[in-house]
Amino acid sequence: MDTSYESNPILDKLPNHLKQFIKPQKYIDYSAIDQAVWRYVMRKNVDYLSEVAHQSYLEGLQKTGISIDHIPNMYGMNRILKEIGWAAVAVDGFIPPAAFMEFQAYNVLVIASDIRQLEHIEYTPAPDIIHEGAGHAPIIANPEYAEYLRRFGEIGCKAISSAKDYAMYEAIRHLSIIKEAPGTPAKEIEEAEKRIEALQNDIGAPSEMSLIRNLHWWTVEYGLIGTPENPKIYGAGLLSSIGESAWCMTDQVKKLPYTIKAAYQSFDITKPQPQLYVTPDFAQLSLVLEEFANRMALRRGGLEGLQKLIDSQALGTVEFSTGLQVSGVFTDVISHESNPVYLQTTGKTALAYRERELVGHSTLEHADGFGSPVGRLKGINLTIEDMSPRDLRAYDIYEGEKVTLEFVGGIMVSGEIITGTRNLQGKIIIISFKNCTVTHGDRILFQPEWGVYDMAVGKEIVSAFSGPADVSSFDLVTHVPEETTIKVKKSPKREELELLYQQVRDFREGKNKTISRHKVFEQVQENHPEDWLLSVELYELARKNKDDDFGDEIVAHLEMVKQQRLEVGHLIDGGIALIDAEAQVV
């Protein structure tokens, strides 16, 4: 795990399984071209978004210390973000959705510190510092939205995934990596896109994670606020895309009122969105989130929740009505009249109460799994958890007694009681047996030679969710994606172009006024005729210095670039129009 990053009190609270995703932001690695890309996007966005973004955006740029002219140093951002109770960390591209959301639950903004290529200046499917830093960060300065984001993370990281969700995550991550890597063959990108399409067509019934990810997409990433007739932008995907921020305001994009229905609307990260959802205010976001949470196994538990965990084939937790929590990989459930009457994990399992592991019930004690009945005893109206000490004695549920407990649904537990474990309210939550046999009909679920049998107590399963109850119970520092962002070695020609960009940047910032802008322009024309952004920056300097002849010469060259590269024509026109408008204001 790379810990070479600057921490602070908020980041200190992160568990190790989240810290494993953090990487240092190597600011020195940003080239002058990268800085020019940031500056172009920010100048265009701020100019346009001042008209169409929610007022929190421009206010947030000031509050979070994000500069238009410089890629943000997130550790500088952290000194400002701490004033609103947040922090930022750098990561490598997409991280697993559950981890992303859990970071939010700790008030930590995850920022993919790489920046898009100049060739993808309008939009990239890969998360980058423009999307995260210029999109997400400013809006969290709004307290209502910040609380929504935190709460979303808290609930979202408990959402249960399907076994196919992780395959989809890896496929999307792979596509984003190769699409941003210079020189990736078109065929390889096409194959990656087909892989995602095939997975989407074979995804089956949507999991909780896929549904809540939809809500995240249509709010945090692509949300509009106001009315369908007069919406404003607050979603980071729109705020960071100079193409889609304009496209989304046209009548070609359908505007729908934001409701729980958005959870069932899928999306395609590779294409502009055909519809967007408009919330009347940020408070509505929290109302819909709570409505969705009420449908999750987190709050419903029961047989359905257990089955979701079994289907996920991943580490999860169920909570009994006594508060006892069982964490492990659930592999089996026996049901009776649509209720679970026995549950089983396989492999390392831990027991906890209120997110704290119980002494003597770690994965060491339950290394091979855990099984327990759920529900009431047959023929007895009083549940074990509601029995007083006198009731327990009356039914021989007492230390040293040999007892046979028959549960509704046919689970039989026979053995000698060793002891009981109680919760803070005095309710018994575990009964331990020796010489114990557990059966369901002819099926043996536990036998004496396996050791001590710890039976969970609880009349029902009230909650089921992804991940462990106590994160310290399991070694979770093992899940960093193997595929990382591709760093291509720069060619001498690329290094030469970066040097020209740096010279222009140094001149504009007053670091070196001896640089000849005309000579730089000549080298661009001669050696880098396909480049357009540096010429736009030179045009800006020409206008500021009222050098109209030089400006006209640059525009003539850019017209030639437009003829050769039709796809960048609107970017050139947009840059020139912005510069001309600024010059008129001055």
Side-chain angles (χ1 to χ4, degrees):
M1 187 190 342
D2 191 344
T3 57
S4 55
Y5 61 90
E6 183 182 323
S7 194
N8 58 47
I10 294 175
L11 299 184
D12 288 341
K13 294 177 182 177
L14 290 173
N16 286 335
H17 71 277
L18 290 183
K19 289 180 181 178
Q20 69 178 317
F21 293 104
I22 302 174
K23 72 169 191 177
Q25 181 194 26
K26 296 178 181 176
Y27 200 87
I28 195 171
D29 286 351
Y30 295 123
S31 71
I33 296 178
D34 295 331
Q35 295 284 0
V37 167
W38 169 273
R39 188 168 180 269
Y40 178 91
V41 173
M42 290 301 294
R43 279 161 55 81
K44 283 284 294 175
N45 273 4
V46 170
D47 176 65
Y48 174 67
L49 294 174
S50 60
E51 304 292 329
V52 299
H54 187 264
Q55 63 183 24
S56 297
Y57 175 73
L58 293 177
E59 294 171 1
L61 285 176
Q62 299 293 327
K63 289 181 181 178
T64 53
I66 294 174
S67 165
I68 290 175
D69 292 314
H70 303 270
I71 295 171
N73 182 320
M74 65 185 61
Y75 308 116
M77 279 176 60
N78 274 334
R79 286 190 282 274
I80 299 172
L81 284 172
K82 70 178 182 181
E83 301 299 324
I84 56 176
W86 280 71
V89 295
V91 299
D92 181 37
F94 281 114
I95 64 173
F100 181 89
M101 293 182 191
E102 194 175 356
F103 270 109
Q104 288 181 190
Y106 282 93
N107 281 25
V108 175
L109 187 66
V110 172
I111 294 181
S113 56
D114 290 305
I115 189 166
R116 66 194 63 177
Q117 298 176 58
L118 175 55
E119 290 73 21
H120 299 156
I121 193 168
E122 285 191 281
Y123 172 78
T124 173
D128 75 334
I129 197 162
I130 293 178
H131 174 88
E132 315 283 5
H136 287 297
I139 300 295
I140 65 170
N142 180 293
E144 183 75 26
Y145 181 74
E147 173 55 20
Y148 167 70
L149 208 60
R150 185 201 67 79
R151 184 68 173 148
F152 196 104
E154 193 171 56
I155 292 171
C157 70
K158 301 292 187 184
I160 300 171
S161 299
S162 73
K164 293 179 180 178
D165 282 338
Y166 200 77
M168 176 63 80
Y169 154 72
E170 288 185 316
I172 290 173
R173 177 177 168 83
H174 174 67
L175 173 64
S176 71
I177 287 172
I178 64 173
K179 225 171 181 183
E180 269 303 305
T184 302
K187 187 171 190 232
E188 188 176 342
I189 293 174
E190 184 182 347
E191 288 173 355
E193 289 176 338
K194 284 182 178 177
R195 166 74 174 151
I196 291 175
E197 186 178 350
L199 285 169
Q200 286 174 331
N201 293 335
D202 188 41
I203 204 71
S207 67
E208 288 182 349
M209 179 56 78
S210 66
L211 293 176
I212 203 167
R213 197 169 61 234
N214 287 346
L215 284 185
H216 191 271
W217 181 266
W218 298 122
T219 60
V220 176
E221 299 294 351
Y222 277 80
L224 298 175
I225 187 168
T227 65
E229 296 73 32
N230 184 30
K232 299 291 185 182
I233 297 172
Y234 74 90
L238 296 172
L239 292 172
S240 60
S241 171
I242 54 181
E244 251 187 302
S245 59
W247 160 259
C248 77
M249 286 296 162
T250 68
D251 292 337
Q252 296 178 70
V253 179
K254 197 175 192 180
K255 316 296 192 302
L256 303 170
Y258 180 63
T259 68
I260 191 85
K261 291 180 181 179
Y264 302 92
Q265 177 61 60
S266 59
F267 58 88
D268 185 341
I269 69 166
T270 66
K271 299 173 184 174
Q273 307 309 313
Q275 75 283 307
L276 296 172
Y277 292 87
V278 188
T279 182
D281 45 46
F282 288 137
Q284 171 71 3
L285 301 182
S286 296
L287 292 177
V288 171
L289 177 60
E290 292 302 317
E291 184 181 352
F292 181 82
N294 287 336
R295 302 182 182 188
M296 290 172 61
L298 174 68
R299 294 185 182 173
R300 296 168 69 97
L303 180 61
E304 182 184 1
L306 257 167
Q307 194 59 57
K308 285 181 179 179
L309 284 179
I310 292 170
D311 292 343
S312 76
Q313 302 174 26
L315 177 61
T317 298
V318 299
E319 183 174 327
F320 286 74
S321 46
T322 53
L324 177 69
Q325 296 165 314
V326 180
S327 299
V329 177
F330 290 84
T331 51
D332 194 15
V333 61
I334 300 173
S335 63
H336 175 72
E337 295 181 348
S338 300
N339 291 308
V341 295
Y342 196 86
L343 58 81
Q344 181 69 52
T345 68
T346 298
K348 292 180 178 180
T349 304
L351 308 187
Y353 179 72
R354 292 187 174 177
E355 286 74 50
R356 294 285 297 275
E357 181 180 284
L358 292 171
V359 176
H361 293 285
S362 71
T363 57
L364 294 175
E365 285 81 17
H366 302 288
D368 299 318
F370 178 86
S372 177
V374 184
R376 299 172 175 270
L377 294 173
K378 187 175 181 180
I380 301 176
N381 290 328
L382 193 63
T383 62
I384 295 178
E385 68 185 83
D386 293 327
M387 288 182 181
S388 67
R390 183 177 296 177
D391 296 323
L392 291 168
R393 189 72 185 92
Y395 289 106
D396 290 332
I397 304 175
Y398 203 78
E399 179 188 354
E401 294 288 347
K402 292 181 179 178
V403 66
T404 295
L405 304 176
E406 182 179 0
F407 288 81
V408 172
I411 305 297
M412 302 285 290
V413 179
S414 298
E416 182 180 336
I417 295 176
I418 303 172
T419 187
T421 303
R422 296 178 183 272
N423 66 15
L424 292 173
Q425 285 72 41
K427 288 186 175 183
I428 193 162
I429 59 175
I430 299 173
I431 300 174
S432 299
F433 298 80
K434 65 181 179 180
N435 300 321
C436 187
T437 300
V438 183
T439 59
H440 179 244
D442 295 332
R443 181 181 176 189
I444 296 176
L445 302 171
F446 193 91
Q447 48 196 19
E449 52 266 36
W450 294 354
V452 172
Y453 181 67
D454 295 307
M455 185 186 81
V457 175
K459 58 189 172 186
E460 60 183 333
I461 300 299
V462 297
S463 180
F465 55 87
S466 177
D470 185 339
V471 295
S472 65
S473 294
F474 295 82
D475 177 14
L476 302 176
V477 190
T478 56
H479 299 155
V480 172
E482 293 180 6
E483 189 175 20
T484 57
T485 301
I486 298 169
K487 303 291 185 184
V488 178
K489 187 176 179 181
K490 296 173 184 176
S491 66
K493 185 176 181 182
R494 172 73 177 193
E495 290 179 341
E496 178 188 76
L497 182 60
E498 287 182 359
L499 180 60
L500 295 177
Y501 269 87
Q502 188 64 56
Q503 288 175 347
V504 170
R505 185 173 183 83
D506 289 344
F507 184 91
R508 187 178 60 249
E509 295 179 349
K511 294 177 181 176
N512 189 346
K513 288 292 187 181
T514 65
I515 294 165
S516 170
R517 290 162 292 142
H518 291 269
K519 190 169 286 187
V520 168
F521 181 56
E522 289 172 6
Q523 291 182 56
V524 170
Q525 288 178 294
E526 184 176 343
N527 300 323
H528 308 280
E530 76 289 344
D531 185 81
W532 62 272
L533 183 54
L534 185 54
S535 295
V536 169
E537 292 213 325
L538 286 167
Y539 179 73
E540 178 188 357
L541 294 177
R543 288 302 306 264
K544 281 185 178 178
N545 288 278
K546 296 184 170 52
D547 191 343
D548 293 337
D549 290 341
F550 187 32
D552 291 344
E553 190 179 348
I554 295 170
V555 170
H557 167 68
L558 286 170
E559 287 297 326
M560 292 174 60
V561 175
K562 284 163 60 177
Q563 291 174 23
Q564 296 297 318
R565 299 187 61 195
L566 298 177
E567 74 277 8
V568 300
H570 65 291
L571 296 171
I572 294 171
D573 291 341
I576 289 175
L578 178 59
I579 292 164
D580 288 344
E582 288 176 346
Q584 289 175 8
V585 171
V586 174

